[in-house]
Amino acid sequence: METTSTTESPAPAEPTTITTNHNTNQRRHHRILVIGSTGAGKSTLINALVGHEAMDTSSDAIGCTGSYATATTERPDPNEPGIVHQYEFIDTVGVNEPTEGTVSRTAALKMFFQFLKDNKVGFNLIIFCTREGRVTEESTTTYEINV
């Protein structure tokens, strides 16, 4: 029972109960915020986790995510019949974007802080992405801004 969907606005979802063919499945919703520097692989990670190309990706260090986007997937709980886990991955604009990128650093930070301020539901998990094999001053700054 795998389903996926993508949307441009990360609207919070409330836990729901779904009845199908006289079976009641309880849906447990998990919100996962994916943050990091531009080009760190946030969108690529989300695509791997949902199992398809839900997010645009680029092999350049220039970001391709210009606003927040979500991808959702569902998985049945292997240990608890009737429980379905719905995972909502929220892809964020990368900070420390090069000047020729999609969103300026200042705009990205403003968007990020406004997003956090407007978010009333919270997150179950925050994943910080960094490029393989290197922790740079840029990634340290990005980490400090986000935590």
Side-chain angles (χ1 to χ4, degrees), residues 24-42:
T24 300
N25 291 323
Q26 182 181 1
R27 181 170 280 146
R28 295 184 180 164
H29 190 79
H30 309 278
R31 293 186 83 217
I32 302 159
L33 183 66
V34 183
I35 60 175
S37 295
T38 300
K42 299 177 296 295

Side-chain angles (χ1 to χ4, degrees), residues 19-91:
T19 304
T20 311
N21 298 334
H22 306 295
N23 294 325
T24 300
N25 291 323
Q26 182 181 1
R27 181 170 280 146
R28 295 184 180 164
H29 190 79
H30 309 278
R31 293 186 83 217
I32 302 159
L33 183 66
V34 183
I35 60 175
S37 295
T38 300
K42 299 177 296 295
S43 301
T44 301
L45 174 65
I46 291 171
N47 287 342
L49 293 171
V50 299
H52 68 93
E53 297 294 316
M55 305 292 173
D56 291 335
T57 60
S58 171
S59 59
D60 297 328
I62 297 171
C64 55
T65 304
S67 64
Y68 294 92
T70 64
T72 304
T73 189
E74 293 182 350
R75 303 277 195 274
D77 190 310
N79 299 314
E80 294 185 62
I83 302 295
V84 176
H85 294 276
Q86 181 181 48
Y87 299 95
E88 176 188 11
F89 296 95
I90 303 166
D91 194 7

